[in-house]
DNA sequence: TTCTTCATGTAATTAGTTACATGATTGA
DNA sequence: TCAATCATGTAACTAATTACATGAAGAA
């Protein structure tokens, strides 16, 4: 490789630049709006990465002063498009989850039943905040006002993943709330939900059986 | 605060030390087995963090040489237990997702239909690998052979979340495969699945309506 | 006795976050 | 005209990963 292995973050930004040129601020907004849901990065990264792309000839920077301040607008180059295309064709990594609240559930013995319920309730709030933030996007497109409608078929693919994810969280919150509410106040006396456990084991077995069937 | 704000990773390790003392290697295995599914960290972190805990008086290190090499076994202190307990009672952050393959889906216009199908198929393999890796744990507990059975009620809570997550991924893979297969070879001619889009908008609205009902 | 896997750790590097600073624009 | 918010960026710091090195134990 002549190119020293860009990170996924670099390619994510390069991908946005392939849609159109953006100033850094616009890139940041775009990350908030969409990409950030499954590739979250802090804003300051968005000032660094494009510089790297420019250094490699994958993008170019245009200075576009606003008043006394400079603003940098980045655009993709043909070389950048080629690099992006070859990245897109390689299958990517699977989902990675980080879930602090669940770590606290995992160590629930150090808190009370009501602490645990509060932790779970916090996840419900998270879900609601998220519903709030993401509500306008599908509506824009349904009203034929969403940007870059030619990309819509695959934007729906990604949106649907996030939707399934939220459904999973919601289902879990509902079940976990009920389950913990049924426990005694001293949670060390709780009975394990062995039915749930058996269901997990079964589903797991089903996935593996399906694989054996698929692959011979 | 006298304690300079530990990270979630620190508390995760502290939580494990509260179960029993472990050598670093055992900690690493334990991360692979369970915590790593929702708080993934590289192995070398597991050598660093305990040192920090020791410096703060939250854990103590015992040297336990094996042949000519040293091995360090860490144990929690009473102060460590107090610190852990106060962390557990605060509700934690919601789930954060990173999903490289989905970034590639998002930029699917730079690849072909079959590239896209391959990306989705990669996610199915991920799912199967995961089923493989996690299969024995529920079975151990169902056979009453799992370690620390007194923690089982909340271990099932966390396991169930991961199960719901996998179900979501599986549902998405199935739907996405079907959807993309129905597209023309030139994906720029694909029709957006507006029904799916409308369903997402509806679910979103339902979550928000439920919140209004709850809090109003 | 040698190969492989288990086990133990450090060092160098990269990625990512937090904190800060300040100009431009808008609307009360 | 002043406060709030939008916009632009850097610097210092912390977290995390990758690469490396090597001893111990068990199997062939």
């Amino acid at each position: 490789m002549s190119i020293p292995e860009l990170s996924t973050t670099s390619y994510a930004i390069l991908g946005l630049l392939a849609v159109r040129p953006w100033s850094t601020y616009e890139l940041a907004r775009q990350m908030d709006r969409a990409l950030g849901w499954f590739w979250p990065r802090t804003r300051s990264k968005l000032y660094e990465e494009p510089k790297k792309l420019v250094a490699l000839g994958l993008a170019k920077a245009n200075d576009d002063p606003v008043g006394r301040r400079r603003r940098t607008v980045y655009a993709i180059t043909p070389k950048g498009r080629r690099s992006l295309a070859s990245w897109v064709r390689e299958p990517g990594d699977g989902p990675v989850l980080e879930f602090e609240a669940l770590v606290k559930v995992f160590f629930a013995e150090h808190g009370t039943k009501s602490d645990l319920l509060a932790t779970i309730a916090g996840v419900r709030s998270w879900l609601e905040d998220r519903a709030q933030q993401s509500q306008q996007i599908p509506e824009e497109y349904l009203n034929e006002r969403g940007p870059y409608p030619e990309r819509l078929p695959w934007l729906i693919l990604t949106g649907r993943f996030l939707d399934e994810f939220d459904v999973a969280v919601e289902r879990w919150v509902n079940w976990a709330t009920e389950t913990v509410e049924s426990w005694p106040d001293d949670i060390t006396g709780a009975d394990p939900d062995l039915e749930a456990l058996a269901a997990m084991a079964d589903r797991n077995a089903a996935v593996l059986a399906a694989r054996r069937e698929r692959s011979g």
Side-chain angles (χ1 to χ4, degrees), chain A:
Chain A
M1 293 287 136
S2 62
I3 291 174
E5 206 55 64
L6 291 176
S7 66
T8 302
T9 304
S10 305
Y11 284 112
I13 290 172
L14 192 57
L16 289 177
L17 297 182
V19 175
R20 73 165 174 80
W22 314 77
S23 71
T24 314
Y25 184 74
E26 291 170 318
L27 277 175
R29 301 247 315 192
Q30 197 53 27
M31 289 294 272
D32 287 348
R33 187 183 154 92
L35 254 184
W37 294 116
F38 47 96
W39 201 260
R41 287 300 176 266
T42 46
R43 204 169 43 76
S44 78
K45 262 284 128 187
L46 306 183
Y47 283 87
E48 251 175 81
E49 288 294 339
K51 292 180 187 170
K52 202 180 296 181
L53 298 176
V54 170
L56 293 168
L58 307 176
K60 57 187 197 309
N62 270 52
D63 245 36
D64 171 16
V66 174
R68 278 187 295 151
R69 301 176 65 156
R70 86 194 127 105
R71 165 168 59 185
T72 314
V73 174
Y74 292 96
I76 196 168
T77 63
K79 184 176 171 191
R81 283 189 193 277
R82 287 193 299 274
S83 172
L84 176 62
S86 74
W87 176 77
V88 166
R89 10 180 61 254
E90 303 295 326
D93 287 345
V96 173
L97 190 68
E98 285 193 1
F99 194 174
E100 189 195 39
L102 202 63
V103 177
K104 299 195 181 199
V105 171
F106 189 77
F107 293 122
E109 68 264 39
H110 301 282
T112 64
K113 174 177 170 179
S114 77
D115 292 336
L116 179 53
L117 285 170
T119 295
I120 296 167
V123 178
R124 191 190 296 283
S125 303
W126 174 89
L127 206 51
E128 289 167 346
D129 289 351
R130 190 159 143 116
Q132 176 96 59
Q133 285 174 53
S134 61
Q135 82 181 318
Q136 68 279 44
I137 293 166
E139 274 159 19
E140 275 176 28
Y141 282 105
L142 288 168
N143 297 325
E144 311 199 32
R145 302 209 162 295
Y148 311 104
E150 69 281 7
R151 305 185 61 232
L152 189 52
W154 40 98
L155 297 185
I156 292 174
L157 289 182
T158 64
R160 174 76 185 250
F161 180 86
L162 300 172
D163 189 63
E164 291 283 10
F165 179 69
D166 286 358
V167 168
V169 175
E170 194 181 1
R171 286 165 55 85
W172 180 77
V173 166
N174 290 337
W175 169 80
T177 303
E178 264 187 60
T179 299
V180 174
E181 276 172 350
S182 80
W183 289 356
D185 280 341
D186 177 359
I187 62 172
T188 61
D191 283 324
D193 185 341
L194 295 176
E195 272 178 63
L197 191 60
M200 293 179 225
D202 288 350
R203 204 195 53 81
N204 231 309
V207 169
L208 294 175
R211 168 158 71 172
R212 278 192 301 275
E213 188 144 343
R214 260 192 336 116
S215 69

